[in-house]
Amino acid sequence: MLDVKLLRNEIESVAERLLIKGFKLDIEKFNDLESRRKSLQVTVEDLKNQRNVKSKAIGKAKAAGDDVEAILAEVSKVGEQLGNVEGELQTLQSQLETFLSEIPNIPHESVPAGVSEDDNEELRRWGEPREFSFEVRDHVDVGEGIKLLDFDSAAKIAGSRFAVLKQDLARMHRALIQFMLDTHSESHGYDEVYVPYLVNSASLYGTGQLPKFEADLFKVNDERTLYLIPTGEVPVTNLVRDEIIAVKDLPLKYVSHTPCFRSEAGSYGRDTRGMIRQHQFEKVELVQVVEADQSYQALEQLLGHAETILQKLELPYRVVTLCGGDLGFSSAKTYDIEVWLPGQGKYREISSCSNFEDFQARRLKARCRKPEVKKPELVHTVNGSGLAIGRTLVAILENYQQEDGSVVVPEVLHPYMGGKTVLKENRD
RNA sequence: GGAGAGGUGGCCGAGCGGCUGAAGGCGCUCCCCUGCUAAGGGAGUAUGGGUGUUAAAUCCCAUCGAGGGUUCGAAUCCCUCCCUCUCCGCCA
């Protein structure tokens, strides 16, 4: 959520910057709602003040044994007037709230212009895509070829956009999670957390998924309103909701492994083959909660942490800066890390690292207190995947495939694989 | 699933219709005193919003788990929901 004061004071320039994101701010609507709110709120608060003063007078008069009929009549008149305008103010305020909650974050000045992912800016590349002396297969052919990846069973059990992994592939999936958690917690200074996978709507509002993007979520059919998390970002970032953190305790750095559930409504026909786009996938998520002036530094750092994983796995990748049009609702700036997939002959997103500045913090009421300042200040939140497990698995299957159909296990995973160095069909 | 108890400021804990944004204690901050330590004295110590301002102050509104209701007036009474705790049952 943006600062209302920003809209009150410089709505024109806000509107201009939001255009970079392709969002048209309805200035007239805001000004109209806001001016009505202002006059009405002043009226209502004045009436409430009168009521409070008179009610106190009644108390005193009664205590003194005086007659209170006259004041009673006065105050009931005030109450009547209040009844007429109070509801109107409430409606207005909730309209303003809704209006505000649907405005996306303002892109950072360094964000390139553009409307789609084609306009994203490549920042750097790491690693050389391997030359293959045989015909490259995609991860589906590789995985099914060695009988470790089973989409038919998944379709039977749950439907499309699910996968079943077997034996050593299931183990490698688990190994990746362990490897990433260990790296981030032991080498990068993150605190590991285990969190709920079902969350309430307040949490989703806090990180920006609600109210605008309910269609992307799986809602649990229960009298309680709960949703399956679309990303670990939701529960982890909500750790600081309604908290005031001593500035000496910042930055908070969390790493968490969670499954993620996405309805993928609206992406019919996209990436239908394989496990690139699933309803359920695992992710290791990095979240940092920092002081306002540290967030861009934190973003670069966190991006580096995510890159480290790919470097250790020796998977070629590139980093792109998302253009305005491709930027998410809550993000001020996002870097995507794209891993090289020989099966597709292109780089595909495997991590997305974003700075939300105070956009989530304002919704979350997540603040910090500096001893020298009396008022608490909003923190900044930064997060990124470190990394998406399913897509990492895909990248390994494709980049480490061999001519005989087997797959070499990246060296860094050996300790997690019980000595297995190659994935191949188990013929026993 | 059944039966109870409870949710008040950073923490503990009073209040149970008006003078309580909230006693008292602890903690914390600043000041005084004390040669150090310990003890003592004084002041301060929630958050959001509105008004206003270059900025502030002032003033006002709201908040005692959440949302409704009763009342001139609610932390206090009523209703619904959420959460925590105890006991029984069941269960990974």
Side-chain angles (χ1 to χ4, degrees), chain A residues 293-313:
Chain A
D293 57 356
Q294 309 276 305
S295 61
Y296 279 94
Q297 203 179 314
L299 176 64
E300 298 297 326
Q301 188 197 61
L302 186 144
L303 173 66
H305 293 152
E307 285 180 71
T308 301
I309 300 295
L310 285 168
Q311 290 172 11
K312 290 195 170 192
L313 290 166

Side-chain angles (χ1 to χ4, degrees), chain A residues 6-25:
Chain A
L6 202 60
L7 292 185
R8 286 181 198 151
N9 298 333
E10 40 190 288
I11 193 161
E12 302 287 344
S13 72
V14 171
E16 202 173 305
R17 292 172 70 191
L18 285 174
L19 275 181
I20 297 169
K21 236 172 176 173
F23 183 86
K24 282 184 115 168
L25 184 64

Side-chain angles (χ1 to χ4, degrees), chain A residues 408-419:
Chain A
V408 171
V409 175
E411 206 176 319
V412 71
L413 295 181
H414 288 182
Y416 297 93
M417 289 293 289

Side-chain angles (χ1 to χ4, degrees), chain A residues 4 42 93 100 120 168 192 282 316 320 370 383:
Chain A
V4 211
V42 171
Q93 274 172 334
L100 278 173
N120 294 341
D168 287 340
E192 184 174 347
E282 309 293 301
V320 299
K370 299 175 180 172
N383 74 42

Side-chain angles (χ1 to χ4, degrees), chain A residues 14 85 87 100 163 210 217 238 396 424:
Chain A
V14 171
V85 285
L100 278 173
L210 289 181
L217 304 167
N238 271 277
I396 291 171
K424 57 185 180 208

Side-chain angles (χ1 to χ4, degrees), chain A residues 37 49 80 119 135 170 188 199 253 258 275 325 330 360 383:
Chain A
R37 182 230 107 224
N49 177 240
E80 215 172 282
D119 302 314
E135 198 176 328
H188 298 155
V199 295
K253 294 166 75 179
T258 71
M275 52 184 298
S330 302
Q360 291 183 328
N383 74 42

Side-chain angles (χ1 to χ4, degrees), chain A residues 202-415:
Chain A
S203 297
L204 287 157
Y205 177 84
T207 35
Q209 282 79 14
L210 289 181
K212 252 195 149 174
F213 306 102
E214 183 166 24
D216 299 338
L217 304 167
F218 282 112
K219 191 175 187 174
V220 173
N221 189 15
D222 184 269
E223 63 270 21
R224 287 162 292 206
T225 311
L226 290 172
Y227 299 82
L228 287 164
I229 56 170
T231 159
E233 163 192 351
V234 177
V236 176
T237 310
N238 271 277
L239 285 169
V240 296
R241 172 151 55 90
D242 295 321
E243 299 291 333
I244 299 176
I245 302 146
V247 76
K248 68 174 166 56
D249 294 330
L250 295 179
L252 299 175
K253 294 166 75 179
Y254 294 117
V255 60
S256 190
H257 154 242
T258 71
C260 306
F261 303 92
R262 300 188 181 174
S263 81
E264 294 298 343
S267 61
Y268 304 114
R270 289 188 63 197
D271 301 310
T272 48
R273 179 178 165 83
M275 52 184 298
I276 292 285
R277 191 174 299 276
Q278 303 269 284
H279 287 311
Q280 171 189 322
F281 63 96
E282 309 293 301
K283 193 146 63 83
V284 168
E285 185 76 3
L286 303 172
V287 173
Q288 292 200 27
V289 178
V290 303
E291 279 181 76
D293 57 356
Q294 309 276 305
S295 61
Y296 279 94
Q297 203 179 314
L299 176 64
E300 298 297 326
Q301 188 197 61
L302 186 144
L303 173 66
H305 293 152
E307 285 180 71
T308 301
I309 300 295
L310 285 168
Q311 290 172 11
K312 290 195 170 192
L313 290 166
E314 298 182 72
L315 291 167
Y317 66 86
R318 62 173 196 160
V319 178
V320 299
T321 307
L322 296 198
C323 71
D326 207 21
L327 211 53
F329 176 77
S330 302
S331 176
K333 183 171 187 177
T334 298
Y335 294 116
D336 272 5
I337 304 176
E338 299 180 339
V339 70
W340 176 251
L341 293 185
Q344 296 193 358
K346 56 184 168 190
Y347 288 95
R348 291 298 306 261
E349 180 191 338
I350 196 167
S351 170
S352 195
C353 302
S354 303
N355 184 358
F356 304 94
E357 299 186 356
D358 63 14
F359 189 84
Q360 291 183 328
R362 187 169 292 107
R363 289 173 165 241
L364 292 161
K365 298 186 177 65
R367 294 155 293 175
C368 67
R369 193 189 302 280
K370 299 175 180 172
E372 67 276 12
V373 189
K374 53 279 147 207
K375 257 189 171 315
E377 294 173 9
L378 291 169
V379 296
H380 279 197
T381 55
V382 175
N383 74 42
S385 354
L387 308 162
I389 305 298
R391 289 189 180 181
T392 307
L393 204 66
V394 166
I396 291 171
L397 289 176
E398 295 197 2
N399 282 282
Y400 281 85
Q401 63 180 294
Q402 303 190 95
E403 190 161 14
D404 66 0
S406 65
V407 176
V408 171
V409 175
E411 206 176 319
V412 71
L413 295 181
H414 288 182

